[in-house]
Amino acid sequence: MTNFSELIAWCASNNQIVIGVYGNQEVTRELEGFTAERKNIKIVKISSPEDVQDCQIIFIAKSKNDDFESIKSKVENKEVLLVTENDRFVK
């Protein structure tokens, strides 16, 4: 997932990419370990759809896919990449 941050041209005013993880603590821990030395990537735990405002990448665990539309509506006009474990959202 951190490779997405390198492959996408971001227009964020600061150079830090915020990756939010919703519903999977294991993914949060893995990303934190992987990005520990990378100061330009911050990993945050998302507790509810309202917590997504400052994220450029949002990972939504399969267990939280019911909140996909709510999260999507909160970031609709922003430069945000949504990543989910559910293949029904693949287009």
Side-chain angles (χ1 to χ4, degrees):
M1 195 168 343
T2 59
N3 288 338
F4 286 134
S5 67
E6 297 169 7
L7 299 172
I8 296 173
W10 299 97
C11 293
S13 58
N14 63 19
N15 290 335
Q16 187 175 56
I17 300 296
V18 179
I19 301 174
V21 180
Y22 184 43
N24 192 321
Q25 289 187 0
E26 184 178 322
V27 169
T28 304
R29 283 191 300 273
E30 285 183 36
L31 288 172
E32 287 172 339
F34 185 75
T35 62
E37 299 298 319
R38 301 177 71 183
K39 303 299 180 199
N40 64 328
I41 298 178
K42 178 180 178 182
I43 308 301
V44 297
K45 179 184 174 191
I46 296 172
S47 300
S48 73
E50 287 73 33
D51 297 340
V52 302
Q53 298 304 318
D54 297 322
C55 300
Q56 284 81 34
I57 301 174
I58 301 169
F59 173 81
I60 305 169
K62 196 171 199 169
S63 64
K64 298 293 185 178
N65 278 335
D66 288 345
D67 291 328
F68 181 84
E69 291 300 326
S70 176
I71 292 170
K72 181 180 163 192
S73 71
K74 294 198 181 325
V75 300
E76 200 161 35
N77 294 316
K78 298 181 180 186
E79 294 179 343
V80 176
L81 175 65
L82 297 176
V83 180
T84 178
E85 294 177 309
N86 193 331
D87 59 5
R88 76 179 186 156
F89 298 115
V90 175
K91 290 187 178 188

